[in-house]
Amino acid sequence: MAERVKQVAAEEAEHVRKIAHEAVKSRAYLYPFKGIFYFVSHKDLWKPLTSKLGPTITLSVGVTTFMFLVAYVPQAAVMAFTSGPVAAILAALLTLSESSTLINLLSRTFLIEEALVDTFDGTLLSRDCTNLVEEGRQIKAGGDNIARLGKLLKRPFAKFTPNAIIRYLIYLPLNFIPVVGTVIFIALQGKRAGPAAHTRYFQLKEWNKRQRELHVAEHRGGYTAFGVAAFLLEMIPFANLVFAFTNTVGAALWAADIEKNATTAPKVRDLAGKAE
């Protein structure tokens, strides 16, 4: 049994090492930051955000303040027994993560779903991916990249599901493990958030479930790297909803680069064909 445990541990360690190597090599972790600079320099992409700015700021401030008043002190007290002097910092990170989850749940359900779709599609138009965007909506003639966006034919950004919340709650206790647990928690959240950022791209490509799974498996390190960077940005209090938009821009920039890579899409189709 001891030998079997060592073997499994070695295999898991090798798997983690491989994903980490792929993550660094992919440089996908840069796209959330590229999204920030691209968003700042393309004022037409501000329109979807500014149209929702008032209610989203109010929601963000309200939820974050409420969570720190209600959840921070009890969590810091528990962590004082497991994490010692860094308990206050880890409890703050945990509270920010919880706040971010609630804000995303509420805002994506009630406020910004269409605005994020417009941001993603507008970014693709700015990168000359008009043919791709036309698969999911009507395109108008003239105007800036947001003004050209017509009626949506497909609505891809799924609202939070019970499974996502359950999975988050299952992972949450990892934060009570000093330092390492928080790192693992963030990595797991990034692993989930990375592929989710390309939900719109997968829909515009009209890939079936198998094709999406193959593509994500081929780029697991890159998607995890992107997801971790995006998740960390969205943990920043009061600015997390702004970063939700810049992360969407970053995801669209990555999708545009994938489209310009002549071998990526055919490779996925070939893999899907073999899988069938």
Side-chain angles (χ1 to χ4, degrees), residues 142-158:
D144 61 41
N145 292 308
I146 297 300
R148 293 173 60 199
L149 298 175
K151 180 181 177 182
L152 278 171
L153 304 177
K154 302 172 183 176
R155 298 176 179 271
F157 283 100

Side-chain angles (χ1 to χ4, degrees), residues 5-21:
V5 170
K6 290 181 181 179
Q7 180 183 350
V8 172
E11 289 174 354
E12 286 299 313
E14 176 60 22
H15 180 63
V16 171
R17 187 201 65 77
K18 182 179 179 182
I19 289 179
H21 176 73

Side-chain angles (χ1 to χ4, degrees), residues 77-168:
V78 173
M79 285 185 166
F81 293 100
T82 60
S83 305
V86 296
I89 297 173
L90 295 179
L93 290 174
L94 178 58
T95 305
L96 288 174
S97 172
E98 293 164 343
S99 301
S100 176
T101 299
L102 284 174
I103 292 166
N104 274 305
L105 168 64
L106 295 172
S107 63
R108 290 176 188 269
T109 300
F110 299 109
L111 296 176
I112 64 171
E113 179 189 4
E114 266 193 40
L116 290 176
V117 176
D118 289 347
T119 302
F120 192 94
D121 291 353
T123 304
L124 287 178
L125 286 181
S126 73
R127 291 292 304 275
D128 299 321
C129 293
T130 305
N131 291 340
L132 182 62
V133 179
E134 285 176 336
E135 297 295 328
R137 72 189 310 155
Q138 297 172 354
I139 303 297
K140 301 175 184 177
D144 61 41
N145 292 308
I146 297 300
R148 293 173 60 199
L149 298 175
K151 180 181 177 182
L152 278 171
L153 304 177
K154 302 172 183 176
R155 298 176 179 271
F157 283 100
K159 298 177 176 63
F160 263 60
T161 64
N163 286 344
I165 298 297
I166 292 170
R167 195 176 298 113
Y168 177 86

